[in-house]
Amino acid sequence: MIPKSGNRFSDKIMRQKKEVMTDVPQIGDLWTRLRQLTAARIGLKRSGASLSTGPLLDFQLAHARARDAVHAALDVARLAADLSALGLPVLRLASAVEDRQRYLMRPDLGRRLAAGEDTKLTPHAGRHDVVFVIADGLSARAVQAHAAPVLAKALPQLHGWRIAPLAVVTNGRVAIGDVIAGALNADCVAVLIGERPGLSAPDSMGAYLTWQPGARTSDAERNCISNIRPGGVGYDEAAFKLAHLLRAMRARRLSGVRLKDESDRLAIERP
Amino acid sequence: MYAATIGAQRYTFADLKTLLAKATPLRSGDRLAGLAAESGEQRVAAQYALADLPLTTFLNEAVVPYESDEVTRLIVDSHDKAAFGPVAHLTVGAFRDWLLSDEATIDTLTRLSPGVTPEIAAAVSKISRLQDLMIVAAKCAVVTRFRDTVGLPGRLSVRLQPNHPTDDARGIAASILDGLLLGSGDAVIGINPATDSPDRAHALLCMLDEIRLKLDIPTQSCVLAHVTTTLDLIGKGSPVDLVFQSIAGTQAANKSFGVDLALLQEARAAALSLKRGSIGDNVMYFETGQGSALSADAHHGVDQQTLEARAYAVARAFQPMLVNSVVGFIGPEYLFDGKQITRAGLEDHFCGKLMGVPMGVDVCYTNHAEADQDDMDALLALLVSAGVNFVMGVPGADDIMLGYQSTSFHDALAMRDLYGRRPAPEFEVWLTRQGLMDKANRIRPGELPDRFRALLPGA
């Protein structure tokens, strides 16, 4: 029933069956092999009914890292310095949220700019094909590490595009990009944002792309590239998908569910 | 209009839904919706007013309009007045007292359940403490059957949840092996697929069915795809045991899930036509969660806990095998921390059981919620002592596909030991036959049972 990968387990099991077994951990070698098939925490050593100390602390560490990622502040100055190498002006903006706790409880405020921030955008308003917005989201670590390298690979693939200044937003949600695109008069917005951290990946970045976003844009009208990080969707692949989706979006003048299949095919057909 | 006077201050509440919302113990989702009480005193004033309200009020005033909402129509049209009779004269406060009294037994509560509307259950939960929610729920028994029996008193079942980020068959099988060895899977072996691809769902259903047959496990399987996907697969001959769907408490929220009552009815009829249940015909599996209606902008100004109870009215109409709230999954904007998740989990279990729904709970949290394993241990223990039908079993509590933390095989095992809860009877016999139980009737896997080799790669 399960795709065969050779019979290397069989001999092992036969040998183990001849021994007197009292507990699962004694078939530890089996679990070592099975763990190659999944990142799930299988075959964890137990004591009685409960988890042994080793796996207990492993879990606590993973959770602590994910929690730290949620609460870490974005080093805006460092990110702006990294981004300035791309040759575009970098604007620093803040959402209407004043701290992380409020950010978590009030998604509506994370979608709006703080009072007065729009004045930073006005001087740059004009005809732009796309604006890239970099927001901390739920993992500042993700955009701190991955935003600049992905953009460095994606921008050269957008020949002839009028690209707006890069906007870095603290305590931002995806929809804050709609506001920024509106203020700058950009046709597309691409929001690079820290995703909800999982135990195995506290630094995953998402990219949300929207054609002509506005106040009534719904999530179904966005395209998403998820799990951008070296261990997931790598920089080259992310940059490729990003550029292709933007081009398809501009060619077909739409984004969201109706664009999805085509973008997947484009990614697969990549040379 | 409803009112209560506290000292010199008179508090008024424009309508029933406002009264219910203001009486609700604090949670972030009601604040986000702008429905929460503005002060602690206003909340208790609302609770006083709610306690004085005759239960019949809920039969005469709908929180979501009857004309525009099919869930309201379902609740009103299917209300069992004869079952409601014995408590028809009570107020909400007196109903709480009656539920806690020795008069309310498993038998009386079972007979009462078709007479309990979701709004009545929600109302009484709002003036109950955790202890009350546990004591009353522990007196309810909702028993369901397909290939085994879930929900019998003294039993605790587990959904084995072997998710994998790319639906890799061997990875999923490895997690199933781990879970079965630790006594999980008697509620269902249920996979959340990574995509909604019908081909993928078909392949997973076939794999689950083959495992079940090879190991001769008295349980049911489920691939938690959208109901329309499952319905198509039934038409094409896929081995579907349980039909899954996420549901909510308003027509508009269900629409955002792409379902309505007629579609659920059609899916149930299709699953029944397969006649795959050996000892019963509870063929539906529903998941719910506080905040889903607000998240879909379909809450009609009703608080999230009342809407959650209304989702159980939807579930109840389809005689489900399993229903669970995914209480901490939706995120801190709806339930902020361990305290709010804990209360919501016990409210959901209480309301469901009181309404005659076979409630389990996915005791869980996300990494951006103010919660951790200690909070989950506490909620899990409270739910097990309150007689929850089933909980989740995820390898190491870490769902690598959905990216959240639930309860583990070990957690379920520890609770069975701590509270003396046993697996579903048919499944327990099977575990014993596989040699997975020790002399003290505890699940203590020793060597790999012969049959389990069918789960190994290369088998």
mmCIF file of all heavy atoms in Angstrom, chain B residues 261-298:
data_model
loop_
_atom_site.group_PDB
_atom_site.id
_atom_site.type_symbol
_atom_site.label_atom_id
_atom_site.label_comp_id
_atom_site.label_asym_id
_atom_site.label_seq_id
_atom_site.Cartn_x
_atom_site.Cartn_y
_atom_site.Cartn_z
ATOM 1 N N LEU B 261 -27.468 23.978 4.254
ATOM 2 C CA LEU B 261 -28.059 22.794 4.886
ATOM 3 C C LEU B 261 -28.420 21.731 3.848
ATOM 4 O O LEU B 261 -28.253 20.529 4.091
ATOM 5 C CB LEU B 261 -29.303 23.195 5.694
ATOM 6 C CG LEU B 261 -29.051 24.197 6.838
ATOM 7 C CD1 LEU B 261 -30.364 24.542 7.542
ATOM 8 C CD2 LEU B 261 -28.042 23.648 7.844
ATOM 9 N N ALA B 262 -28.886 22.167 2.687
ATOM 10 C CA ALA B 262 -29.280 21.200 1.655
ATOM 11 C C ALA B 262 -28.070 20.381 1.193
ATOM 12 O O ALA B 262 -28.166 19.162 1.000
ATOM 13 C CB ALA B 262 -29.910 21.937 0.473
ATOM 14 N N LEU B 263 -26.930 21.055 1.056
ATOM 15 C CA LEU B 263 -25.723 20.355 0.624
ATOM 16 C C LEU B 263 -25.283 19.329 1.674
ATOM 17 O O LEU B 263 -24.898 18.200 1.345
ATOM 18 C CB LEU B 263 -24.609 21.382 0.366
ATOM 19 C CG LEU B 263 -23.258 20.831 -0.083
ATOM 20 C CD1 LEU B 263 -23.383 20.081 -1.406
ATOM 21 C CD2 LEU B 263 -22.231 21.965 -0.218
ATOM 22 N N LEU B 264 -25.362 19.717 2.942
ATOM 23 C CA LEU B 264 -24.983 18.787 4.010
ATOM 24 C C LEU B 264 -25.921 17.576 4.019
ATOM 25 O O LEU B 264 -25.488 16.438 4.235
ATOM 26 C CB LEU B 264 -24.995 19.492 5.369
ATOM 27 C CG LEU B 264 -23.981 20.639 5.533
ATOM 28 C CD1 LEU B 264 -24.167 21.333 6.886
ATOM 29 C CD2 LEU B 264 -22.549 20.117 5.402
ATOM 30 N N GLN B 265 -27.200 17.850 3.773
ATOM 31 C CA GLN B 265 -28.178 16.760 3.730
ATOM 32 C C GLN B 265 -27.869 15.803 2.579
ATOM 33 O O GLN B 265 -27.920 14.577 2.740
ATOM 34 C CB GLN B 265 -29.589 17.352 3.555
ATOM 35 C CG GLN B 265 -30.706 16.365 3.767
ATOM 36 C CD GLN B 265 -30.642 15.698 5.138
ATOM 37 O OE1 GLN B 265 -30.645 16.374 6.166
ATOM 38 N NE2 GLN B 265 -30.527 14.378 5.162
ATOM 39 N N GLU B 266 -27.514 16.387 1.458
ATOM 40 C CA GLU B 266 -27.173 15.578 0.281
ATOM 41 C C GLU B 266 -25.942 14.712 0.568
ATOM 42 O O GLU B 266 -25.894 13.520 0.221
ATOM 43 C CB GLU B 266 -26.900 16.524 -0.905
ATOM 44 C CG GLU B 266 -26.688 15.813 -2.224
ATOM 45 C CD GLU B 266 -26.233 16.779 -3.322
ATOM 46 O OE1 GLU B 266 -26.311 18.014 -3.121
ATOM 47 O OE2 GLU B 266 -25.770 16.284 -4.373
ATOM 48 N N ALA B 267 -24.959 15.309 1.225
ATOM 49 C CA ALA B 267 -23.728 14.578 1.535
ATOM 50 C C ALA B 267 -23.999 13.436 2.518
ATOM 51 O O ALA B 267 -23.474 12.330 2.369
ATOM 52 C CB ALA B 267 -22.686 15.533 2.112
ATOM 53 N N ARG B 268 -24.857 13.714 3.492
ATOM 54 C CA ARG B 268 -25.173 12.662 4.467
ATOM 55 C C ARG B 268 -25.896 11.497 3.784
ATOM 56 O O ARG B 268 -25.564 10.325 4.025
ATOM 57 C CB ARG B 268 -26.038 13.230 5.602
ATOM 58 C CG ARG B 268 -26.491 12.183 6.580
ATOM 59 C CD ARG B 268 -27.027 12.760 7.878
ATOM 60 N NE ARG B 268 -27.396 11.666 8.761
ATOM 61 C CZ ARG B 268 -28.631 11.167 8.853
ATOM 62 N NH1 ARG B 268 -29.607 11.697 8.140
ATOM 63 N NH2 ARG B 268 -28.870 10.155 9.662
ATOM 64 N N ALA B 269 -26.840 11.831 2.923
ATOM 65 C CA ALA B 269 -27.578 10.775 2.220
ATOM 66 C C ALA B 269 -26.623 9.934 1.371
ATOM 67 O O ALA B 269 -26.726 8.696 1.331
ATOM 68 C CB ALA B 269 -28.659 11.405 1.341
ATOM 69 N N ALA B 270 -25.661 10.605 0.739
ATOM 70 C CA ALA B 270 -24.697 9.870 -0.094
ATOM 71 C C ALA B 270 -23.846 8.935 0.762
ATOM 72 O O ALA B 270 -23.618 7.780 0.398
ATOM 73 C CB ALA B 270 -23.817 10.857 -0.852
ATOM 74 N N ALA B 271 -23.381 9.430 1.909
ATOM 75 C CA ALA B 271 -22.549 8.593 2.787
ATOM 76 C C ALA B 271 -23.353 7.414 3.335
ATOM 77 O O ALA B 271 -22.857 6.286 3.419
ATOM 78 C CB ALA B 271 -21.973 9.430 3.926
ATOM 79 N N LEU B 272 -24.618 7.672 3.688
ATOM 80 C CA LEU B 272 -25.469 6.594 4.207
ATOM 81 C C LEU B 272 -25.681 5.507 3.150
ATOM 82 O O LEU B 272 -25.743 4.320 3.473
ATOM 83 C CB LEU B 272 -26.825 7.159 4.646
ATOM 84 C CG LEU B 272 -26.851 7.912 5.979
ATOM 85 C CD1 LEU B 272 -28.223 8.551 6.194
ATOM 86 C CD2 LEU B 272 -26.501 6.982 7.148
ATOM 87 N N SER B 273 -25.754 5.941 1.887
ATOM 88 C CA SER B 273 -26.035 4.989 0.812
ATOM 89 C C SER B 273 -24.901 3.971 0.670
ATOM 90 O O SER B 273 -25.093 2.887 0.125
ATOM 91 C CB SER B 273 -26.249 5.727 -0.510
ATOM 92 O OG SER B 273 -25.007 6.177 -1.015
ATOM 93 N N LEU B 274 -23.708 4.313 1.159
ATOM 94 C CA LEU B 274 -22.576 3.384 1.055
ATOM 95 C C LEU B 274 -22.670 2.253 2.088
ATOM 96 O O LEU B 274 -22.012 1.226 1.949
ATOM 97 C CB LEU B 274 -21.246 4.139 1.242
ATOM 98 C CG LEU B 274 -20.946 5.247 0.220
ATOM 99 C CD1 LEU B 274 -19.619 5.925 0.552
ATOM 100 C CD2 LEU B 274 -20.909 4.685 -1.194
ATOM 101 N N LYS B 275 -23.439 2.485 3.163
ATOM 102 C CA LYS B 275 -23.652 1.463 4.204
ATOM 103 C C LYS B 275 -22.337 0.872 4.709
ATOM 104 O O LYS B 275 -22.183 -0.344 4.812
ATOM 105 C CB LYS B 275 -24.542 0.337 3.669
ATOM 106 C CG LYS B 275 -25.947 0.797 3.274
ATOM 107 C CD LYS B 275 -26.817 -0.413 2.938
ATOM 108 C CE LYS B 275 -28.252 -0.143 2.622
ATOM 109 N NZ LYS B 275 -28.756 1.192 2.464
ATOM 110 N N ARG B 276 -21.382 1.723 4.992
ATOM 111 C CA ARG B 276 -20.061 1.233 5.423
ATOM 112 C C ARG B 276 -19.949 1.058 6.936
ATOM 113 O O ARG B 276 -19.031 0.413 7.418
ATOM 114 C CB ARG B 276 -18.976 2.174 4.907
ATOM 115 C CG ARG B 276 -18.790 2.095 3.392
ATOM 116 C CD ARG B 276 -17.808 3.128 2.884
ATOM 117 N NE ARG B 276 -16.474 3.021 3.455
ATOM 118 C CZ ARG B 276 -15.537 2.189 3.006
ATOM 119 N NH1 ARG B 276 -15.781 1.404 1.977
ATOM 120 N NH2 ARG B 276 -14.348 2.149 3.586
ATOM 121 N N GLY B 277 -20.869 1.663 7.697
ATOM 122 C CA GLY B 277 -20.804 1.514 9.152
ATOM 123 C C GLY B 277 -21.267 0.131 9.556
ATOM 124 O O GLY B 277 -22.298 -0.337 9.102
ATOM 125 N N SER B 278 -20.476 -0.546 10.421
ATOM 126 C CA SER B 278 -20.846 -1.920 10.773
ATOM 127 C C SER B 278 -21.796 -1.972 11.958
ATOM 128 O O SER B 278 -22.616 -2.869 12.061
ATOM 129 C CB SER B 278 -19.588 -2.743 11.065
ATOM 130 O OG SER B 278 -18.810 -2.092 12.050
ATOM 131 N N ILE B 279 -21.713 -0.990 12.872
ATOM 132 C CA ILE B 279 -22.596 -1.055 14.040
ATOM 133 C C ILE B 279 -23.442 0.200 14.206
ATOM 134 O O ILE B 279 -24.185 0.325 15.180
ATOM 135 C CB ILE B 279 -21.804 -1.312 15.346
ATOM 136 C CG1 ILE B 279 -20.815 -0.173 15.616
ATOM 137 C CG2 ILE B 279 -21.094 -2.664 15.292
ATOM 138 C CD1 ILE B 279 -20.277 -0.188 17.035
ATOM 139 N N GLY B 280 -23.319 1.163 13.276
ATOM 140 C CA GLY B 280 -24.132 2.369 13.390
ATOM 141 C C GLY B 280 -24.020 3.214 12.142
ATOM 142 O O GLY B 280 -23.206 2.933 11.274
ATOM 143 N N ASP B 281 -24.867 4.235 12.053
ATOM 144 C CA ASP B 281 -24.881 5.040 10.833
ATOM 145 C C ASP B 281 -24.704 6.520 11.121
ATOM 146 O O ASP B 281 -25.308 7.370 10.484
ATOM 147 C CB ASP B 281 -26.151 4.771 10.026
ATOM 148 C CG ASP B 281 -27.406 5.074 10.825
ATOM 149 O OD1 ASP B 281 -27.272 5.528 11.989
ATOM 150 O OD2 ASP B 281 -28.510 4.872 10.311
ATOM 151 N N ASN B 282 -23.855 6.848 12.083
ATOM 152 C CA ASN B 282 -23.466 8.241 12.279
ATOM 153 C C ASN B 282 -22.321 8.521 11.309
ATOM 154 O O ASN B 282 -21.203 8.061 11.511
ATOM 155 C CB ASN B 282 -23.024 8.484 13.729
ATOM 156 C CG ASN B 282 -24.140 8.211 14.724
ATOM 157 O OD1 ASN B 282 -24.069 7.266 15.507
ATOM 158 N ND2 ASN B 282 -25.179 9.021 14.668
ATOM 159 N N VAL B 283 -22.616 9.240 10.229
ATOM 160 C CA VAL B 283 -21.652 9.326 9.134
ATOM 161 C C VAL B 283 -21.033 10.712 8.946
ATOM 162 O O VAL B 283 -20.254 10.907 8.024
ATOM 163 C CB VAL B 283 -22.285 8.898 7.787
ATOM 164 C CG1 VAL B 283 -22.645 7.422 7.804
ATOM 165 C CG2 VAL B 283 -23.498 9.753 7.463
ATOM 166 N N MET B 284 -21.392 11.680 9.808
ATOM 167 C CA MET B 284 -20.876 13.031 9.587
ATOM 168 C C MET B 284 -19.837 13.407 10.645
ATOM 169 O O MET B 284 -19.911 12.987 11.797
ATOM 170 C CB MET B 284 -22.017 14.063 9.625
ATOM 171 C CG MET B 284 -23.119 13.819 8.606
ATOM 172 S SD MET B 284 -22.560 13.856 6.884
ATOM 173 C CE MET B 284 -22.370 15.626 6.618
ATOM 174 N N TYR B 285 -18.890 14.226 10.227
ATOM 175 C CA TYR B 285 -17.867 14.752 11.137
ATOM 176 C C TYR B 285 -17.792 16.261 10.885
ATOM 177 O O TYR B 285 -17.501 16.693 9.776
ATOM 178 C CB TYR B 285 -16.522 14.081 10.850
ATOM 179 C CG TYR B 285 -15.336 14.619 11.635
ATOM 180 C CD1 TYR B 285 -15.488 15.452 12.741
ATOM 181 C CD2 TYR B 285 -14.035 14.281 11.277
ATOM 182 C CE1 TYR B 285 -14.405 15.932 13.449
ATOM 183 C CE2 TYR B 285 -12.935 14.752 11.986
ATOM 184 C CZ TYR B 285 -13.133 15.587 13.063
ATOM 185 O OH TYR B 285 -12.038 16.072 13.760
ATOM 186 N N PHE B 286 -18.074 17.059 11.936
ATOM 187 C CA PHE B 286 -18.060 18.520 11.795
ATOM 188 C C PHE B 286 -17.018 19.153 12.700
ATOM 189 O O PHE B 286 -16.812 18.692 13.834
ATOM 190 C CB PHE B 286 -19.428 19.109 12.173
ATOM 191 C CG PHE B 286 -20.555 18.690 11.270
ATOM 192 C CD1 PHE B 286 -21.615 17.948 11.769
ATOM 193 C CD2 PHE B 286 -20.565 19.057 9.925
ATOM 194 C CE1 PHE B 286 -22.666 17.563 10.952
ATOM 195 C CE2 PHE B 286 -21.621 18.678 9.093
ATOM 196 C CZ PHE B 286 -22.676 17.924 9.608
ATOM 197 N N GLU B 287 -16.410 20.223 12.187
ATOM 198 C CA GLU B 287 -15.574 21.065 13.045
ATOM 199 C C GLU B 287 -16.148 22.477 13.075
ATOM 200 O O GLU B 287 -16.720 22.945 12.093
ATOM 201 C CB GLU B 287 -14.115 21.095 12.564
ATOM 202 C CG GLU B 287 -13.362 19.849 12.994
ATOM 203 C CD GLU B 287 -11.853 19.942 12.774
ATOM 204 O OE1 GLU B 287 -11.392 20.780 11.975
ATOM 205 O OE2 GLU B 287 -11.132 19.158 13.414
ATOM 206 N N THR B 288 -15.956 23.113 14.235
ATOM 207 C CA THR B 288 -16.495 24.448 14.475
ATOM 208 C C THR B 288 -15.443 25.249 15.242
ATOM 209 O O THR B 288 -14.422 24.702 15.633
ATOM 210 C CB THR B 288 -17.752 24.362 15.367
ATOM 211 O OG1 THR B 288 -17.346 23.851 16.644
ATOM 212 C CG2 THR B 288 -18.812 23.443 14.775
ATOM 213 N N GLY B 289 -15.709 26.516 15.473
ATOM 214 C CA GLY B 289 -14.804 27.287 16.318
ATOM 215 C C GLY B 289 -15.301 28.707 16.527
ATOM 216 O O GLY B 289 -15.769 29.342 15.579
ATOM 217 N N GLN B 290 -15.236 29.167 17.754
ATOM 218 C CA GLN B 290 -15.665 30.531 18.060
ATOM 219 C C GLN B 290 -14.868 31.523 17.216
ATOM 220 O O GLN B 290 -13.651 31.427 17.120
ATOM 221 C CB GLN B 290 -15.458 30.853 19.541
ATOM 222 C CG GLN B 290 -16.397 30.103 20.462
ATOM 223 C CD GLN B 290 -16.349 30.621 21.901
ATOM 224 O OE1 GLN B 290 -16.030 31.777 22.152
ATOM 225 N NE2 GLN B 290 -16.677 29.743 22.854
ATOM 226 N N GLY B 291 -15.560 32.468 16.609
ATOM 227 C CA GLY B 291 -14.895 33.507 15.825
ATOM 228 C C GLY B 291 -15.023 33.306 14.330
ATOM 229 O O GLY B 291 -14.736 34.222 13.562
ATOM 230 N N SER B 292 -15.464 32.115 13.903
ATOM 231 C CA SER B 292 -15.490 31.867 12.460
ATOM 232 C C SER B 292 -16.498 32.767 11.744
ATOM 233 O O SER B 292 -16.268 33.200 10.616
ATOM 234 C CB SER B 292 -15.774 30.394 12.165
ATOM 235 O OG SER B 292 -16.996 30.007 12.725
ATOM 236 N N ALA B 293 -17.607 33.085 12.392
ATOM 237 C CA ALA B 293 -18.611 33.929 11.747
ATOM 238 C C ALA B 293 -18.111 35.376 11.626
ATOM 239 O O ALA B 293 -18.246 36.016 10.589
ATOM 240 C CB ALA B 293 -19.926 33.887 12.518
ATOM 241 N N LEU B 294 -17.491 35.862 12.706
ATOM 242 C CA LEU B 294 -16.933 37.219 12.667
ATOM 243 C C LEU B 294 -15.854 37.301 11.589
ATOM 244 O O LEU B 294 -15.774 38.260 10.826
ATOM 245 C CB LEU B 294 -16.353 37.584 14.041
ATOM 246 C CG LEU B 294 -15.602 38.910 14.128
ATOM 247 C CD1 LEU B 294 -16.486 40.085 13.734
ATOM 248 C CD2 LEU B 294 -15.051 39.117 15.545
ATOM 249 N N SER B 295 -15.028 36.272 11.544
ATOM 250 C CA SER B 295 -13.955 36.222 10.568
ATOM 251 C C SER B 295 -14.506 36.297 9.145
ATOM 252 O O SER B 295 -13.857 36.826 8.245
ATOM 253 C CB SER B 295 -13.149 34.939 10.817
ATOM 254 O OG SER B 295 -12.438 34.562 9.700
ATOM 255 N N ALA B 296 -15.712 35.786 8.934
ATOM 256 C CA ALA B 296 -16.338 35.831 7.612
ATOM 257 C C ALA B 296 -17.261 37.042 7.471
ATOM 258 O O ALA B 296 -18.003 37.146 6.501
ATOM 259 C CB ALA B 296 -17.122 34.547 7.369
ATOM 260 N N ASP B 297 -17.219 37.941 8.465
ATOM 261 C CA ASP B 297 -18.076 39.121 8.484
ATOM 262 C C ASP B 297 -19.547 38.712 8.364
ATOM 263 O O ASP B 297 -20.320 39.312 7.624
ATOM 264 C CB ASP B 297 -17.683 40.089 7.352
ATOM 265 C CG ASP B 297 -18.232 41.494 7.621
ATOM 266 O OD1 ASP B 297 -18.543 41.786 8.791
ATOM 267 O OD2 ASP B 297 -18.369 42.269 6.657
ATOM 268 N N ALA B 298 -19.920 37.656 9.097
ATOM 269 C CA ALA B 298 -21.270 37.104 8.983
ATOM 270 C C ALA B 298 -21.847 36.851 10.379
ATOM 271 O O ALA B 298 -22.507 35.859 10.629
ATOM 272 C CB ALA B 298 -21.213 35.793 8.201
#
